[in-house]
Amino acid sequence: MKNKLDRIAKDTNFFLNKFIEKQNNSKLIPAMRYGLFPGGKKIRSKILVDIGSLLSIDYRTLISIGAAVECIHAYSLIHDDLPCMDNDKMRRGKPSTHIKFGEASAVLAGSSLLTLAFEIITEEKYELNSKMKNEIIKFLASCSGHTGIAGGQELDLKFENKNKKINQIIDMQKKKTGKLFNFCLYAVGVVANKTKKEKKLLSNLGEEIGLLFQLADDFLDKKGSENLLGKPVKKDNKKGKTTLLNLMGEKKAYLYANNLKKKILLKLKKHGKKAKELTSTIEFILERKF
């Protein structure tokens, strides 16, 4: 799995490097590059490539969409780390962007990566028609803003040291983490010319995968290795974060996560061997150590 993730990371980073090199130079590019590269695990891009391969979508097209996803993800991490939010000083094994470049530059670099994602999707040379691009852009915007990542982060901050119900936590995590996974599957559905109903099913599957990923992250925060993760552990309890793990306890939360994994895999069963890569990625998500 690591080799497969590394290959997608290499191809995505190569694409992003080339794209940024063609941009007009600005004082923000060093901070943007710092927050974007080396770029983490690329789990979201791997999911996108897996579902795209299952639906016979061209690999280069998938990498270009994945590059936009990674820009959105990097923007969200840069902003989440800010002192006014989660106040995290380490990210991906190095000082957070605001520690390296200052808060103002970090905010502006994050905002620039957000908009860069839309530039990537609108690039003329990619073999997507205008209707597809418009639909992808609209959905990516809804997954990134107040109905998605930003809204989820707001809830995450507001829920600190509060007693919340399971459905409230799930709603928060589906926005903060699930929406970008949701987009990965939905975007592939658009490129594959799937029906509205089929794209809705893909969206729901994406949110479930995102929730599974978030649960795995919560387990890693509690028991993971700081060296492998590249960031401090045991942060959630210190900050009073409201998570399913804290609410349910470790055993019940793991049972919930394992049942969610089985539910996802059951949905993929109808695709048979075509879903082998995606199935392997789902298995990896819950058991990963980094």
Side-chain angles (χ1 to χ4, degrees):
M1 180 58 67
K2 190 176 185 306
N3 289 339
K4 291 171 182 176
L5 287 168
D6 286 346
R7 182 208 169 194
I8 290 171
K10 182 180 177 182
D11 292 342
T12 305
N13 288 342
F14 180 81
F15 176 98
L16 286 166
N17 259 314
K18 287 288 184 184
F19 198 91
I20 292 171
E21 282 173 5
K22 292 177 183 176
Q23 300 267 307
N24 290 330
N25 198 17
S26 79
K27 291 184 181 297
L28 281 173
I29 282 182
M32 290 165 66
R33 283 183 169 277
Y34 185 84
L36 191 57
F37 301 119
K41 298 173 286 295
K42 295 292 188 293
I43 293 283
R44 291 156 188 80
S45 291
K46 176 70 164 65
I47 291 288
L48 193 148
V49 167
D50 289 346
I51 196 73
S53 299
L54 194 155
L55 298 177
S56 302
I57 304 300
D58 178 67
Y59 180 73
R60 289 171 300 176
T61 300
L62 297 171
I63 289 296
S64 68
I65 297 172
V69 168
E70 296 303 333
C71 286
I72 299 286
H73 183 48
Y75 126 74
S76 72
L77 298 181
I78 290 171
H79 283 194
D80 284 1
D81 289 343
L82 290 167
C84 62
M85 295 202 196
D86 289 339
N87 194 23
D88 284 325
K89 294 177 174 59
M90 292 291 294
R91 174 68 67 178
R92 294 171 172 169
K94 60 185 182 181
S96 300
T97 305
H98 69 274
I99 298 294
K100 179 77 173 177
F101 292 91
E103 288 181 47
S105 293
V107 170
L108 294 170
S111 300
S112 297
L113 287 170
L114 170 63
T115 56
L116 189 68
F118 298 103
E119 286 187 59
I120 289 170
I121 291 171
T122 57
E123 183 70 26
E124 287 183 6
K125 70 177 182 178
Y126 306 135
E127 295 174 7
L128 300 175
N129 62 47
S130 295
K131 186 180 177 183
M132 284 180 179
K133 287 181 180 179
N134 286 343
E135 188 175 354
I136 289 171
I137 288 167
K138 183 179 179 181
F139 199 75
L140 182 56
S142 71
C143 289
S144 305
H146 69 98
T147 55
I149 293 171
Q153 174 66 357
E154 171 74 357
L155 291 175
D156 189 34
L157 295 169
K158 291 289 189 288
F159 285 1
E160 285 182 3
N161 298 305
K162 301 280 176 63
N163 292 320
K164 295 295 175 180
K165 295 178 181 177
I166 288 176
N167 64 330
Q168 291 176 300
I169 300 171
I170 290 173
D171 177 61
M172 177 266 288
Q173 293 187 338
K174 278 187 174 181
K175 286 178 178 174
K176 185 176 179 180
T177 306
K179 282 291 184 181
L180 207 48
F181 283 90
N182 177 334
F183 169 78
C184 290
L185 273 72
Y186 184 92
V188 172
V190 173
V191 178
N193 280 311
K194 293 298 179 181
T195 64
K196 188 176 180 179
K197 183 180 178 181
E198 288 170 326
K199 286 183 287 191
K200 178 66 175 172
L201 291 172
L202 285 168
S203 289
N204 293 340
L205 181 62
E207 283 195 2
E208 288 172 354
I209 294 171
L211 181 57
L212 184 69
F213 181 89
Q214 183 59 56
L215 281 159
D217 249 18
D218 293 344
F219 293 131
L220 287 170
D221 179 75
K222 186 178 178 68
K223 300 177 73 173
S225 161
E226 188 169 319
N227 288 334
L228 288 176
L229 293 170
K231 59 182 180 180
V233 294
K234 297 179 173 61
K235 298 181 302 176
D236 290 345
N237 277 337
K238 290 176 184 176
K239 294 178 180 177
K241 291 290 185 184
T242 305
T243 66
L244 289 175
L245 179 57
N246 289 339
L247 186 64
M248 295 179 173
E250 191 174 340
K251 286 184 179 179
K252 285 186 179 179
Y254 187 80
L255 182 62
Y256 179 90
N258 202 44
N259 286 335
L260 178 60
K261 182 188 79 171
K262 288 177 182 177
K263 181 182 175 183
I264 293 167
L265 293 179
L266 189 61
K267 289 181 179 181
L268 298 177
K269 198 172 182 181
K270 64 181 179 182
H271 296 288
K273 290 182 180 178
K274 284 186 176 181
K276 183 181 176 183
E277 279 299 321
L278 185 53
T279 297
S280 296
T281 307
I282 300 303
E283 294 279 7
F284 167 77
I285 283 174
L286 187 56
E287 302 304 330
R288 63 194 169 91
K289 305 297 181 189
F290 61 94

